Amino acid sequence: MEINEKMIRQIIGDVLKDFQFGDKSETPKAVEVKGGELTITEKGIAGMGTKRDEVVIALAPAFGKFQTQTIVNIPHNEVLREIIAGIEEEGLSYRIIRVTKSSDVAFVAHEAAKLSGSGIGIGIQSKGTTVIHQKDLAPLSNLELFPQAPLLDLETFRAIGKNAAKYAKGESPNPVPVRNDQMARPKFQAKAALLHIKETEHVVLNSKSVELEVSFS
Amino acid sequence: MKSKRFQVLAERDVNKDGFVSEWPEVGLVAMNSPNDPTPSIKIANGKVVELDGVKREDFDMIDQFIADYAINLDSAEKVMAMDSLELAKMLVDVNVGREVIVELTTAMTPAKIVEVVSSMNVVEMMMALQKTRARKTPSNQCHVTNVKDHPVQIAADAAESAIRGFDEQETTVGIVRYAPFNALSLLVGAQVGRGGVLTQCAVEEATELLLGMRGLTAYAETVSVYGTEPVFVDGDDTPWSKAFLASAYASRGLKMRFTSGTGAEVQMGYAEGKSMLYLEAKCIYITKGAGVQGLQNGSISCIGVPGAVPSGIRAVLAENLITTMLDMEVASGNDQTFSHSPIRRTARTLMQMLPGTDFIFSGYSATPNYDNMFAGSNFDAEDYDDYNIIQRDLKVDGGLRPVLEEEVVKVRNKAARVLQGVFAELGLPEITDEEVEAATYAHGSKDMPNRNVVEDLKAAEEMMQKGITGVDVIKALSKRGFDDVAESLLNLMKQRVSGDYLHTSAILDKDFNVISAVNDVNDYKGPGTGYRMSDERWEEIKNIPNALRPEDIK
């Protein structure tokens, strides 16, 4: 019984994937993300998602605007493009919002999840710390947490996008492999504090999240 | 660069660490910020109407909580009028006992207690700490985690840590959904090592409380409080909601403490221009006001922040001292990497190891640091022999003992087999003989086979949905023939009913006697008094396996 149900789910999933790629003629493959500048346009207050096949990406207050690279100098446009590519590879669509009421990565991600049609959201701070969240979890809980920003490379951001999309589809993916560097704190904590202070300067208490249109030129 | 000496120095470990200049406007200053308040108190009709220069109508929620709950107002005006230097001298003076000190210190305001302590150098602070810690006998806590959240490795490491001498053990997760398995594995493994070891699982607050209520942990620690209002809000709580959480634990008979630490407010972006130590003092007072018995502090996860500024490590010692001055248990940090330099790491730890605290480490890594899921501890499993030898060099009780390879292998193997039986009995995903063998001899997760993570996460969720409790674990242990471990776990759970281990600084010995500040009173008053190592304990510490014995030389 279970096996049949699994097969049926998989077939439906595959068929849906084909439908979503109405505009694109080929099956998804690696999306080029190198270089180019990030243009962010604010489109007004972010609303609830109506489609179940979306992941919402929430940017912390300064991301791509007042800071442009992570704590290990990965440009924000490349981070975003990798996450988007991961989501698209799984056949889902994305929305990007900016959260300004808090700079806390868990609250930023939870906002995304609450506004997401699938209930799945990703939150990213300017320094790179990232969370995959789900709307029914406690704000300081998460599906997957990436607390050591210096360890986050482009490959990991792509995997984060992919896993978020898989959760959105109701799958149970293998979590992105957990990485740990015991010397990240001695090396980076002071810098992380400075970057977070600078992010937090742009918090506007009780403000509503804004929907963004993002283009890479 | 022309100087060869400077080239060599540039490559030293210590120069890989992060250092910043003081920036008082954002709170990047350890002590004595120009923005720190002057101590003051005004009481009218039994209520505080001004606290450290702030009038009641200008109180934020932290000021109000402290003013209304955290200060002994009966003697506050008298103590606040006393000279802070005189008070500091009393702290250092061996002839002034703890019982006298605590009457005075619990009547001070945060700015006053900081002023008193700020006049002391680290030697004076250590002298004071020796006297003011709550429990006479020092103890130690370890971290038991790994990067794979591998349950069998956790159980084996827990058992080894228990025989090495840790009285409390803490786990956490790489993946949140593994929490029930990590808690269970730690609980079982620790009791295999020694009945009476207390275990906790550090996760999000509601999850942690639930695990405790289910009997899968024996205490909680990472119930966090913060020194400024916006940071507290980002922590999703208020002092009142944290106090409520504390009483939720108490209502189930569970031991708990709060956690705070210098640098957190800077790290989280809202230090309001105050010094790290002043803001941490407010956290210590919140803990006192909530009626909580103890506090984990010593910067903890933010240690890189005070560690980056001048007098930061001195401030870290000061916050441990202030905690004891408010008559609470202190689990005194040393649990997070802050330096590449072994020399710097040791200097930092001596501040608590030499005087002794309730828990010298609030998280010595019982695994190699690559497996420490708190992102690395100040000391790890590869430092065990160094630590034991420092105990022997200085005749200091740091809470640990040397062990033999045979006894470690034996207890690790037993823990792995016991957990294998428990998993089978509870219908959890199989633990293979291969995993048992690997855990017996493993140093870290690189020596362990992988498990099916998705299957484990699903089973962990089902285990919680089914309502599995510590009592089910006791039954499972007994059914599989591990009656000794079953009895230990039963005795551990009985503590929730008797309530004795809710006292300040409570630990359990191997016979499940409670040892706490109440029955192990710190009566230090100079040489020959207070905690003095027993002959038996000294023999244990002296007896390192690789010491040459005269009788062996032929």
Side-chain angles (χ1 to χ4, degrees):
Chain A
M1 268 275 270
E2 220 187 278
I3 297 168
N4 282 341
E5 194 191 303
K6 262 197 210 155
M7 271 176 61
I8 293 170
R9 280 179 181 275
Q10 196 147 11
I11 293 166
I12 293 175
D14 287 339
V15 169
L16 279 175
K17 253 196 264 181
D18 285 333
F19 275 122
Q20 264 133 43
F21 279 83
D23 296 339
K24 295 151 198 170
S25 42
E26 290 143 47
T27 37
K29 56 178 183 183
V31 176
E32 273 303 305
V33 294
K34 280 201 188 53
E37 277 188 22
L38 188 63
T39 313
I40 300 178
T41 321
E42 303 197 346
K43 281 166 63 181
I45 307 290
M48 270 296 304
T50 49
K51 309 183 297 170
R52 293 201 58 168
D53 58 352
E54 71 164 4
V55 173
V56 173
I57 304 167
L59 310 178
F63 190 104
K65 198 171 170 185
F66 303 103
Q67 293 184 42
T68 56
Q69 52 188 14
T70 71
I71 196 170
V72 285
N73 305 325
I74 298 177
H76 283 170
N77 62 311
E78 290 182 22
V79 169
L80 264 186
R81 289 183 76 157
E82 285 295 340
I83 294 178
I84 289 167
I87 295 170
E88 290 186 326
E89 268 171 21
E90 290 296 317
L92 261 54
S93 61
Y94 65 93
R95 271 192 301 147
I96 306 186
I97 67 172
R98 183 183 302 285
V99 172
T100 45
K101 68 178 192 182
S102 173
S103 59
D104 181 279
V105 70
F107 278 97
V108 167
H110 202 231
E111 278 306 296
K114 285 191 291 186
L115 289 174
S116 169
S118 67
I120 300 295
I122 300 172
I124 331 170
Q125 286 175 325
S126 296
K127 54 182 162 72
T129 320
T130 304
V131 170
I132 302 176
H133 222 314
Q134 200 280 336
K135 67 176 169 63
D136 300 315
L137 294 174
L140 295 182
S141 186
N142 57 74
L143 280 178
E144 294 189 43
L145 172 65
F146 304 90
Q148 296 184 28
L151 300 185
L152 300 182
D153 52 19
L154 291 175
E155 200 182 307
T156 309
F157 283 116
R158 171 87 62 128
I160 290 170
K162 265 181 95 74
N163 264 28
K166 284 178 186 285
Y167 289 118
K169 290 193 283 186
E171 292 172 22
S172 302
N174 265 312
V176 178
V178 174
R179 289 166 69 185
N180 181 32
D181 173 9
Q182 66 264 33
M183 286 301 145
R185 187 186 300 104
K187 286 197 184 82
F188 287 103
Q189 188 159 54
K191 184 174 180 186
L194 287 170
L195 292 180
H196 191 63
I197 287 168
K198 286 178 168 295
E199 178 120 70
T200 305
E201 279 168 4
H202 300 284
V203 166
V204 178
L205 291 177
N206 301 315
S207 57
K208 288 207 180 339
S209 303
V210 169
E211 183 116 357
L212 301 180
E213 191 178 279
V214 162
S215 61
F216 308 91
S217 52
Chain B
M1 211 186 308
K2 289 194 211 140
S3 161
K4 291 194 170 56
R5 176 153 302 157
F6 274 82
Q7 244 172 324
V8 167
L9 285 171
E11 247 115 81
R12 291 280 298 189
D13 283 335
V14 75
N15 288 319
K16 296 179 193 156
D17 294 348
F19 300 103
V20 296
S21 295
E22 291 169 324
W23 184 9
E25 287 72 40
V26 301
L28 267 172
V29 58
M31 300 168 67
N32 303 111
S33 165
N35 305 317
D36 284 349
T38 309
S40 77
I41 200 163
K42 287 205 177 87
I43 302 172
N45 298 321
K47 242 182 148 179
V48 175
V49 295
E50 183 186 297
L51 179 67
D52 292 336
V54 181
K55 292 190 165 55
R56 180 168 279 269
E57 51 266 30
D58 299 321
F59 278 176
D60 67 15
M61 66 180 181
I62 294 172
D63 298 320
Q64 190 185 328
F65 192 84
I66 293 173
D68 290 347
Y69 303 116
I71 302 172
N72 181 0
L73 296 182
D74 292 338
S75 32
E77 278 161 328
K78 179 192 110 198
V79 173
M80 290 297 285
M82 290 171 71
D83 179 51
S84 294
L85 259 184
E86 286 310 308
L87 287 162
K89 284 181 186 170
M90 289 171 78
L91 272 166
V92 184
D93 187 346
V94 299
N95 296 306
V96 180
R98 186 181 187 276
E99 69 287 353
V100 173
I101 299 288
V102 161
E103 289 299 308
L104 300 169
T105 45
T106 49
M108 296 178 187
T109 67
K112 180 74 172 176
I113 214 169
V114 166
E115 186 177 82
V116 168
V117 157
S118 297
S119 65
M120 299 162 75
N121 65 30
V122 294
V123 175
E124 290 157 351
M125 289 184 194
M126 286 195 283
M127 276 300 293
L129 187 50
Q130 198 163 223
K131 182 176 23 168
T132 56
R133 80 163 173 274
R135 186 194 332 109
K136 179 147 93 173
T137 310
S139 175
N140 223 335
Q141 182 197 126
C142 68
H143 290 159
V144 181
T145 64
N146 63 75
V147 84
K148 292 179 182 173
D149 289 322
H150 200 300
V152 194
Q153 189 192 335
I154 288 177
D157 281 321
E160 176 178 341
S161 318
I163 66 170
R164 282 189 182 272
F166 292 103
D167 294 318
E168 279 187 351
Q169 301 187 14
E170 172 176 20
T171 190
T172 192
V173 289
I175 298 164
V176 170
R177 289 165 283 156
Y178 251 123
F181 273 18
N182 287 29
L184 172 63
S185 308
L186 186 71
L187 183 73
V188 169
Q191 300 315 301
V192 169
R194 155 174 106 70
V197 169
L198 301 174
T199 60
Q200 59 156 311
C201 180
V203 285
E204 180 272 333
E205 304 285 19
T207 315
E208 188 163 346
L209 177 62
L210 181 59
L211 290 171
M213 288 169 72
R214 291 282 174 91
L216 296 172
T217 60
Y219 78 110
E221 175 179 67
T222 54
V223 180
S224 305
V225 292
Y226 312 88
T228 63
E229 198 173 76
V231 167
F232 222 122
V233 169
D234 267 354
D236 200 22
D237 268 300
T238 71
W240 285 266
S241 65
K242 242 46 208 238
F244 178 74
L245 187 50
S247 55
Y249 282 104
S251 77
R252 292 305 193 273
L254 277 166
K255 171 178 178 176
M256 63 87 69
R257 66 176 69 96
F258 279 174
T259 292
S260 60
T262 43
E265 298 78 15
V266 180
Q267 184 76 60
M268 289 171 76
Y270 300 103
E272 297 175 348
K274 305 289 194 294
S275 72
M276 296 175 201
L277 184 64
Y278 172 69
L279 293 180
E280 175 56 18
K282 294 183 99 168
C283 296
I284 302 168
Y285 274 76
I286 291 168
T287 307
K288 185 72 178 175
V292 170
Q293 62 84 27
L295 182 63
Q296 170 185 219
N297 72 1
S299 191
I300 311 304
S301 300
C302 294
I303 183 72
V305 177
V309 294
S311 188
I313 301 303
R314 174 167 165 258
V316 166
L317 170 60
E319 75 195 80
N320 295 147
L321 174 59
I322 293 173
T323 307
T324 62
M325 286 162 71
L326 290 191
D327 200 13
M328 294 188 289
E329 168 201 76
V330 71
S332 55
N334 287 301
D335 62 332
Q336 299 278 259
T337 48
F338 79 105
S339 176
H340 296 74
S341 158
I343 300 173
R344 225 179 147 211
R345 292 195 286 124
T346 307
R348 183 252 179 284
T349 288
L350 288 177
M351 301 294 100
Q352 290 74 31
M353 186 188 179
L354 295 181
T357 69
D358 299 289
F359 298 93
I360 294 163
F361 282 71
S362 61
Y364 186 118
S365 180
T367 57
N369 250 346
Y370 74 76
D371 266 337
N372 185 284
M373 294 316 291
F374 294 96
S377 172
N378 196 41
F379 272 59
D380 74 358
E382 296 178 8
D383 300 318
Y384 273 142
D385 290 347
D386 288 271
Y387 192 83
N388 283 330
I389 287 163
I390 291 177
Q391 291 185 142
R392 183 179 187 269
D393 284 342
L394 303 177
K395 197 179 178 186
V396 164
D397 190 338
L400 300 191
R401 56 183 280 268
V403 292
L404 295 171
E405 185 177 347
E406 301 85 76
E407 57 175 315
V408 168
V409 163
K410 189 165 168 220
V411 84
R412 289 181 71 95
N413 182 260
K414 182 175 177 186
R417 281 186 292 108
V418 169
L419 194 72
Q420 185 182 41
V422 169
F423 265 50
E425 194 62 36
L426 294 178
L428 303 175
E430 187 196 1
I431 290 174
T432 63
D433 290 342
E434 188 206 349
E435 289 174 283
V436 169
E437 179 82 357
T440 302
Y441 298 101
H443 175 43
S445 60
K446 291 177 187 166
D447 309 315
M448 295 293 297
N450 292 337
R451 287 179 63 83
N452 183 327
V453 171
V454 172
E455 197 179 65
D456 274 352
L457 296 180
K458 188 156 174 281
E461 193 186 338
E462 278 167 7
M463 184 180 124
M464 295 304 279
Q465 275 165 7
K466 266 194 252 177
I468 297 287
T469 70
V471 173
D472 296 308
V473 181
I474 294 170
K475 289 182 190 169
L477 285 162
S478 184
K479 283 221 182 89
R480 289 279 158 159
F482 302 115
D483 276 327
D484 55 343
V485 189
E487 186 162 344
S488 289
L489 187 51
L490 177 60
N491 283 334
L492 186 66
M493 297 202 63
K494 280 190 202 170
Q495 300 302 315
R496 296 158 180 250
V497 177
S498 65
D500 286 333
Y501 89 132
L502 299 186
H503 285 304
T504 305
S505 309
I507 51 176
L508 304 173
D509 71 12
K510 64 173 170 54
D511 302 312
F512 287 88
N513 296 311
V514 175
I515 301 169
S516 74
V518 171
N519 62 0
D520 190 27
V521 179
N522 186 2
D523 53 4
Y524 178 77
K525 263 188 165 171
T529 71
Y531 180 75
R532 301 284 147 178
M533 234 187 257
S534 67
D535 293 336
E536 196 191 319
R537 177 72 176 127
W538 184 212
E539 283 306 308
E540 195 177 62
I541 286 177
K542 280 194 226 173
N543 212 0
I544 53 172
N546 46 342
L548 276 178
R549 267 154 268 269
E551 51 268 28
D552 294 340
I553 300 171
K554 300 222 169 38

